[in-house]
Each structure stands twice: as structure tokens, then as C-alpha cells.
Amino acid sequence: MHRHHDKDHEGTLSRLVQSTEELLRRTASVGGAEIEAKRDSLKRHWNEVSSSASDWQEAAGTGLRNLSRAADKCAHRHAWESIGIAALVGAVVTACLLTRNKRRY
């Protein structure tokens, strides 16, 4: 589920990068001091944003990997407690769903 969500964001970011680069290429031949100044400004901002986005994406990935490892270690150290909690959560969700279905009829 998370992988699909991550791929959606990667695709969106990739399309944004491609669109911005295409815009810069298409306007490269357009003259005028004001347009060139705006283009240079866009390039500077784009470089800053893309660098920050890359750093943020790397930090988020590292954080998620660390969280996943910590949760895995905790579940292994406390295996029976983890099983009990999962069973309890499953029972509560099942009870809620059954109660909701009964109200419909």
C-alpha cells in the first residue's frame, strides 16, 4: 500500500521535473531581458527546491526504514504481546464491523 503511494508521488515529482525542464527548454529561445531574468530566477528556485525535495525524500526514507526496523525489533522481543495486541485489535475491528452491519438491516 505504501509502495504504491510512494510511486504515485515519485511519478508526480518526475512529471513536475520534466514539465519544468521542458518549459525552460522551450523558453530558451525567447528573448528579452525581463524574460531572461525570470527564467534565471525560475532556474535558481527550481535548483533550490529540487535539492530540498531530494534531501527531504532521502530523510523521510531513512526515517521510515529506522521506524520499521525498530518496530520489527520490538515485535521480535515481545512476540507474544504483539500477537495478543494484534488479536485484540482484530477482535475490536470485527466487532465494530458486525455492529455496523447489524444497524443497516
Side-chain angles (χ1 to χ4, degrees):
M1 181 171 165
H2 293 292
R3 287 184 184 164
H4 178 69
H5 188 64
D6 291 342
K7 287 182 182 179
D8 286 346
H9 285 296
E10 289 172 9
T12 302
L13 183 58
S14 177
R15 285 190 303 274
L16 177 62
V17 167
Q18 291 170 357
S19 296
T20 302
E21 290 173 350
E22 180 66 20
L23 174 65
L24 291 170
R25 274 193 299 276
R26 286 183 180 196
T27 60
S29 63
V30 177
E34 185 177 346
I35 291 175
E36 287 184 32
K38 294 292 184 185
R39 187 182 311 120
D40 290 341
S41 176
L42 176 60
K43 283 181 185 178
R44 279 194 309 278
H45 290 308
W46 178 250
N47 289 335
E48 292 171 11
V49 168
S50 63
S51 176
S52 296
S54 177
D55 293 345
W56 180 86
Q57 187 175 10
E58 185 178 322
T62 300
L64 287 173
R65 282 190 296 279
N66 291 342
L67 178 63
S68 176
R69 286 185 195 122
D72 187 54
K73 285 179 185 179
C74 182
H76 279 90
R77 272 188 249 138
H78 306 284
W80 288 109
E81 291 91 341
S82 299
I83 292 169
I85 290 171
L88 180 62
V89 169
V92 168
V93 169
T94 301
C96 289
L97 290 174
L98 289 174
T99 302
R100 184 174 144 203
N101 284 338
K102 286 182 183 178
R103 279 189 242 155
R104 286 185 174 174
Y105 297 111

